[in-house]
Structure formats: structure tokens, C-alpha cells
Amino acid sequence: MAANPPSNDHCSSRYRAVVAATVEDRVRAICMALPQVTEKLSHGAPAFFVRKQFVMLWPDGHHDHHFPHLWCAAPPGAQDELIDTEPDRFFRPPYVGGRGWIGVRLDGRVDWDEIAAVCADAYRTVAPKKLAASIDAAEG
């Protein structure tokens, strides 16, 4: 995962089809556009699964982070790279940060194509290889 992930055309074209009124609507549209994703509440917040959880949304903040944000699974090394490169947007979330997950701020001006790419990378990190490859094939 690069500090500025490339646009994920597969996800962004699908979520643009949904007129999203809130951060929660936008994140839901991005995640639910991926194959075999389900949504469940986890600790009172929307969470997205592809057999395992890959994204958690805190639309009103959580713990010491009093702003909307995501917790996302991330490939090895991505957490340090993103936090070092853009500490104003990325952070180490509590509980899952020790497993390499990243926190992504959703306040201020949000680049939704970048959020789609981060969510797609989170999906690839936990999805079975065949499903992960299916989104790569759709993009190519």
C-alpha cells in the first residue's frame, strides 16, 4: 500500500452510483461493492467482513479519537509507512493496531477514491486469495 494509493476504479465506479448522504453511507457503499462482503454491528459500530473483518467504521469517533474514522486491515509494513508519511490522516488504532491495522481519519476534506483504495487493500489483506484476485481481475 503506497502513501497515496492509486484510484481503485472498480470500487469508486460502484460507490459513485450510490448517492451517499453521510460518511457511513459512503463507507458502506465502498465496502459492500466488494465481492461477498457482509455488514454487522461490532461494538455498536458498522463493521464489514469477507469471512473475517476488514473494516470498522466509527462515524462519531471512538476512545480518544473524537472524529469519524475507519480501522482497516493493512498489508505488512503499510501501517508504519502511512503513519510516518501522513500522520495527520493515518494513525495506529487501539486494539487492532498491534496487528498492523491502520486508522484513517474521515473528517475534513476526504478523498473518497483514496478511501476506496484503502478499503480494497484491507479486503485483499483478509479475503481468501481467490476473492482477492477477483477484484484485481475486475480492475485490470
Side-chain angles (χ1 to χ4, degrees):
M1 180 184 299
N4 290 311
S7 175
N8 184 325
D9 293 333
H10 171 69
C11 291
S12 53
S13 63
R14 281 195 172 169
Y15 86 78
R16 282 189 188 130
V18 176
V19 177
T22 66
V23 165
E24 188 172 334
D25 292 337
R26 284 181 174 227
V27 170
R28 180 174 291 115
I30 290 167
C31 292
M32 296 303 292
L34 297 164
Q36 298 185 23
V37 170
T38 59
E39 177 182 353
K40 297 183 238 178
L41 283 181
S42 178
H43 300 86
F48 300 91
F49 297 77
V50 57
R51 302 202 179 121
K52 294 182 188 178
Q53 186 174 346
F54 68 99
V55 168
M56 185 154 196
L57 170 64
W58 297 102
D60 300 316
H62 184 65
H63 285 295
D64 293 334
H65 300 111
H66 303 288
F67 46 81
H69 61 277
L70 297 175
W71 292 355
C72 302
Q79 182 191 72
D80 289 337
E81 179 184 346
L82 290 168
I83 292 170
D84 289 347
T85 305
E86 297 185 72
D88 55 325
R89 292 185 33 237
F90 297 98
F91 61 93
R92 182 182 169 145
Y95 310 115
V96 294
R99 295 186 312 197
W101 284 46
I102 57 169
V104 185
R105 293 183 71 120
L106 297 175
D107 56 340
R109 187 167 179 255
V110 177
D111 179 344
W112 289 103
D113 287 334
E114 179 181 56
I115 298 303
V118 168
C119 290
D121 283 345
Y123 177 93
R124 285 183 192 95
T125 300
V126 304
K129 290 181 189 211
K130 197 173 209 175
L131 283 177
S134 73
I135 68 167
D136 293 331
E139 290 172 4

